[in-house]
């Protein structure tokens, strides 16, 4: 539906946002009902209390009702998300229109209906093109909202149902395109060529095709991933119940017990992920509430998760954080906290622009420092995926002008550097925090201007010892300490490090060295361990200190500097 200049200028989107909140609240009530029914079926009507054919039938019927509540709750959440996404677009475009009106060139005026009077025909045409683009974006968002609500609620007419079916029929064509190696730009162009109902039909029928494809818009990927996550949680819950029943009949089966423990662990990780992305992130006191978007996840192996705080499609600045050794689905919350702090810090550094911050755990990070983090294979395996993700950010950028920064912490910096080296990274700035080397000898080998390559390491970070000969010396010293005492062993081993060349780390030239040729910035060693092992603890603890501080205005110089880089204010970097 076409939206007029006057309608957008004067619109109050509060009531529409409130409708979305009501749908979300209804989802919560249905989920509470499902939990009550599940408790009724498993405890009060469980096999320990009631057996027999009638009991089984009753439990089966209660489960059907509970499953229906879950399905309805999911529908309510998807409608709420569709409304929320539309409101975000409407408000952004309304604000863009207001900014345009506040900066009219001299001699140009606009009446209440958008009719332009201008001394310069060129100025008038430029203004009209800007307004037309804004209204087109609003109209597209309005059509997308209508398609989503109608499809989910089942209120489509015959023509709309035909378009939904056409979208479903496109699944094979889309899969063929992906199998053929289509890049994110081609994917985005294909998606934009579909009607809103075709898009919705494909999303509803085949969310697994869209969930992790770079070039698909953020809101669509988020909806697809949440649908898949809800479905996996339900399937795993059923599997857990089945194993519990089998274990109750055979309590001594250790294989079943181990399987049950594994299922519960994964279920707990998935529930935690669902809960972490379930609410907006509030930036400090007085800052904005930023929506979280689930751009990808997997429970296979150690698990993966890609989460955005704020919408990268519409943000002025996009920050991507790649975590390092030891990060997996079970502990991804700590890395997500850092990405969230980076979103907040960017806001305080530049309140007049918008920043989306992405945690990219889209790869299998090493499990342990030794020997896994000594192996570049983890980073090499991730290179194509990280490169594609960066290209996808460009493809979905609605105005084509966002500033993109990718930051790698620890082994994550190795992953970033090797992705840039092997597959290319379409980013504006590259940041290496606490790096063991990035797979290249020089900043000039990373495919971007070395002046846009940044690195930092605080003076007490143990990563400075990350050279093969130094690691061997320290490990040997530690082993010797079993005989001669822990302090003597560690200090003796460390002497080999301090006597050697610091510019050569385990994965390449030290990014904070002059030899690397990039730019450096300050970081503080904010953690101070006490006691006999203070030397070791300080250096180990300060490897993770770069995001220390509260959720408010940055209290850590590393966070200040990262925020300036992310928002393009590099003159403020110290």
């Amino acid at each position: 539906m076409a939206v007029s200049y006057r309608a957008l200028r004067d619109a109050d989107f509060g009531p529409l946002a409130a409708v979305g909140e009501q749908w979300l609240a209804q989802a919560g009530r249905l989920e509470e009902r499902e939990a009550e029914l599940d408790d009724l079926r498993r405890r009060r009507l469980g096999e320990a209390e009631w057996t027999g054919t009638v009991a089984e039938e009753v439990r089966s019927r209660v489960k059907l009702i509970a499953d229906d509540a879950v399905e309805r709750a999911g529908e309510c959440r998807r409608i709420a998300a569709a409304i929320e996404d539309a409101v975000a677009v409407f408000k952004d475009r309304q604000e863009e229109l207001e900014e345009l009106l506040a900066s009219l060139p001299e001699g140009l005026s606009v009446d209440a209906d958008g009719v332009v009077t201008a001394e310069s025909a060129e100025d008038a045409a430029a203004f009209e093109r800007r307004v037309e683009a804004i209204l087109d974006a609003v109209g597209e968002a309005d059509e997308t909202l209508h398609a989503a609500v109608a499809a989910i609620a089942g209120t489509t007419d015959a023509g709309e149902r035909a378009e939904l079916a056409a979208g479903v029929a496109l699944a094979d064509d889309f899969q063929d395109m992906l199998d053929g190696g289509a890049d994110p730009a081609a994917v985005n162009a294909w998606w934009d060529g579909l009607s809103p109902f075709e898009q919705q039909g494909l999303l509803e029928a085949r969310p697994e095709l869209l969930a992790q494809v770079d070039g698909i818009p953020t809101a669509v990927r988020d909806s697809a991933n949440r649908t898949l996550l809800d479905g996996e949680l339900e399937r795993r819950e059923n599997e857990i119940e089945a194993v519990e029943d089998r274990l109750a009949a055979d309590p001594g089966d250790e294989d079943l017990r181990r399987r049950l423990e594994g299922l519960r662990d994964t279920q707990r990780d998935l529930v935690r992920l669902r809960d972490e992305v379930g609410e907006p992130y509030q930036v400090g006191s007085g800052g904005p509430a930023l929506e979280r978007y689930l751009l990808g996840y997997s429970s296979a192996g150690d698990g993966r998760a890609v989460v955005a705080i704020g919408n990268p499609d519409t943000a002025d600045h996009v920050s991507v954080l790649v975590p390092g050794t030891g990060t997996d689905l079970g502990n991804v919350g700590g890395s997500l906290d850092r990405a969230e702090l980076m979103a907040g810090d960017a806001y305080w550094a530049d309140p007049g622009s918008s920043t989306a911050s992405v945690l990219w755990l889209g790869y299998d990070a090493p499990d342990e420092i030794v020997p896994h983090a000594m192996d570049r294979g983890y980073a090499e395996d991730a290179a194509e995926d990280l490169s594609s993700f960066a290209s996808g950010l460009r493809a979905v950028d609605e105005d084509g002008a966002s500033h993109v920064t990718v930051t790698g912490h620890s082994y994550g910096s190795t992953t970033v550097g090797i992705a840039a080296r092997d597959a290319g990274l379409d980013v504006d700035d590259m940041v290496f925090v606490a790096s063991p080397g990035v797979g290249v000898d020089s900043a000039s080998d990373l495919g971007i201007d070395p002046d846009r390559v940044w690195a930092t390491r605080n003076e007490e970070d143990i990563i400075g010892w990350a050279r093969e000969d130094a690691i061997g010396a320290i490990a040997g010293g530690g082993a010797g300490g079993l005989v001669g005492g822990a302090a003597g062993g560690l200090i003796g081993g460390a002497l080999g490090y301090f006597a050697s060349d610091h510019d050569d780390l385990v994965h390449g030239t030290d990014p904070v060295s002059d030899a690397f040729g990039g730019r450096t910035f300050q970081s503080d060693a904010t953690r101070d361990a006490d006691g006999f092992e203070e030397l070791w603890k300080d250096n180990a603890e300060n490897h993770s200190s770069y995001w220390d501080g509260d959720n408010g205005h940055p209290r850590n110089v590393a966070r200040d500097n990262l925020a300036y880089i992310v928002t393009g204010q590099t003159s403020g970097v110290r």
Side-chain angles (χ1 to χ4, degrees):
M1 181 183 71
V3 178
S4 71
Y5 167 89
R6 182 195 287 267
L8 178 61
R9 188 198 63 184
D10 297 339
D12 175 8
F13 297 111
L16 179 57
V19 170
E21 291 169 1
Q22 290 171 9
W23 279 104
L24 195 59
Q26 178 63 17
R29 288 190 289 269
L30 286 166
E31 287 164 350
E32 290 175 2
R33 181 60 174 161
E34 185 275 335
E36 293 169 356
L37 289 168
D38 186 60
D39 182 73
L40 172 67
R41 178 175 60 87
R42 300 183 63 186
R43 300 183 187 280
R44 295 162 59 189
L45 300 178
E47 291 185 357
E49 287 77 21
W50 191 15
T51 60
T53 304
V54 174
E56 288 295 330
E57 177 65 21
V58 170
R59 281 192 289 269
S60 176
R61 293 297 296 273
V62 171
K63 188 177 188 307
L64 285 174
I65 297 171
D67 289 347
D68 183 69
V70 170
E71 182 177 351
R72 300 305 176 199
E75 292 172 351
C76 291
R77 285 193 177 277
R78 295 203 301 277
I79 290 174
I83 293 173
E84 184 179 290
D85 291 338
V87 168
V89 174
F90 296 159
K91 287 184 175 179
D92 285 346
R93 296 312 182 193
Q94 186 182 58
E95 183 177 331
E96 185 180 350
L97 181 61
E98 290 169 351
E99 291 174 354
L100 182 61
L101 292 172
S103 59
L104 292 176
E106 187 175 351
L108 189 149
S109 61
V110 185
D111 69 15
D113 294 317
V115 176
V116 179
T117 302
E119 296 175 0
S120 165
E122 183 178 347
D123 286 346
F127 176 84
E128 288 169 349
R129 285 194 298 270
R130 293 277 304 274
V131 171
E132 183 178 359
I134 291 170
L135 296 180
D136 284 347
V138 171
E140 182 179 336
D142 184 62
E143 290 176 1
T144 299
L145 174 61
H146 169 64
V149 173
I152 296 167
T155 59
T156 52
D157 60 28
E160 292 166 344
R161 287 192 292 276
E163 286 191 67
L164 287 171
V168 176
L170 289 169
D172 289 341
D173 291 341
F174 184 51
Q175 185 64 66
D176 289 343
M177 186 171 70
L178 296 177
D179 293 342
D183 63 22
V187 168
N188 187 257
W190 181 85
W191 177 261
D192 283 348
L194 305 182
S195 74
F197 275 96
E198 288 174 330
Q199 293 173 348
Q200 189 64 33
L202 184 55
L203 173 61
E204 289 286 314
R206 299 292 302 277
E208 74 281 1
L209 277 183
L210 305 173
Q212 303 194 55
V213 177
D214 300 317
I216 295 295
T218 289
V220 177
R221 286 179 67 168
D222 176 68
S223 178
N225 278 292
R226 289 175 189 268
T227 297
L228 295 177
L229 179 55
D230 287 344
E232 182 170 356
L233 284 168
E234 184 176 356
R235 289 193 304 275
R236 286 187 174 274
E237 184 63 35
N238 291 336
E239 190 174 0
I240 287 170
E241 290 183 23
V243 174
E244 286 176 338
D245 290 343
R246 291 174 61 190
L247 194 58
D250 186 7
D253 191 326
E254 290 302 317
D255 288 340
L256 273 179
R257 190 172 300 280
R258 284 191 292 272
R259 183 181 175 191
L260 180 60
E261 289 174 358
L263 287 168
R264 285 174 172 169
D265 287 345
T266 302
Q267 187 79 336
R268 183 183 61 249
D269 293 343
L270 292 174
V271 168
R272 186 183 299 118
L273 177 64
R274 181 196 64 190
D275 293 344
E276 284 171 341
V277 300
E279 299 292 336
Y281 173 69
Q282 179 60 48
V283 177
S285 176
L290 302 176
E291 296 299 328
R292 294 181 175 100
Y293 297 87
L294 184 58
L295 301 183
Y297 87 95
S298 172
S299 61
D302 289 338
R304 303 185 183 193
V306 181
V307 179
I309 303 94
N311 191 335
D313 302 9
T314 58
D316 300 312
H317 309 286
V318 181
S319 167
V320 181
L321 175 63
V322 182
T325 301
T327 312
D328 56 33
L329 185 61
N331 62 25
V332 75
S335 296
L336 183 56
D337 288 344
R338 292 173 178 177
E340 290 167 348
L341 288 171
M342 292 179 76
D345 294 348
Y347 170 77
W348 298 120
D350 185 8
S353 63
S354 59
T355 298
S357 180
V358 182
L359 170 68
W360 191 84
L361 181 61
Y363 80 118
D364 179 23
D367 292 332
E368 304 287 346
I369 296 174
V370 179
H372 304 124
M374 305 286 288
D375 182 358
R376 297 187 188 184
Y378 294 90
E380 291 167 348
D381 290 344
E384 291 290 343
D385 288 338
L386 181 54
S387 175
S388 175
F389 184 76
S391 297
L393 292 174
R394 297 298 193 191
V396 299
D397 181 8
E398 292 187 359
D399 61 11
S402 63
H403 168 252
V404 180
T405 302
V406 61
T407 300
H409 175 239
S410 192
Y411 190 91
S413 70
T414 309
T415 302
V416 170
I418 287 178
R421 181 196 74 187
D422 291 354
L425 282 180
D426 187 2
V427 299
D428 298 293
D429 286 275
M430 229 173 269
V431 184
F432 305 126
V433 177
S435 177
V438 300
V440 298
D441 294 326
S442 169
S444 62
D445 297 328
L446 293 168
I448 65 172
D449 184 346
D451 200 44
R452 309 303 294 268
V453 177
W454 305 82
T456 193
R457 182 175 68 238
N458 69 60
E459 61 185 5
E460 295 186 28
D461 188 340
I462 199 172
I463 203 68
W465 302 5
R467 294 184 303 105
E468 289 179 344
D469 55 344
I471 290 172
I474 293 168
L482 294 175
V483 176
L490 287 173
I491 293 171
L495 288 176
Y497 162 75
F498 289 116
S500 58
D501 180 7
H502 288 30
D503 289 350
D504 184 18
L505 297 179
V506 68
H507 292 307
T509 304
D510 188 344
V512 302
S513 69
D514 291 339
F516 189 71
R519 299 175 70 178
T520 61
F521 59 92
Q522 295 177 19
S523 296
D524 290 334
T526 59
R527 301 185 188 182
D528 186 19
D530 297 323
F532 184 68
E533 297 175 332
E534 182 175 347
L535 170 65
W536 177 263
K537 284 185 177 180
D538 272 359
N539 283 271
E541 285 293 314
N542 277 296
H543 183 58
S544 300
S545 68
Y546 299 87
W547 287 269
D548 284 356
D550 61 10
N551 172 14
H553 193 277
R555 302 289 191 267
N556 182 322
V557 67
R559 284 173 55 185
D560 278 331
N561 287 325
L562 286 168
Y564 285 130
I565 295 169
V566 165
T567 57
Q569 302 178 91
T570 55
S571 61
V573 176
R574 293 181 285 157

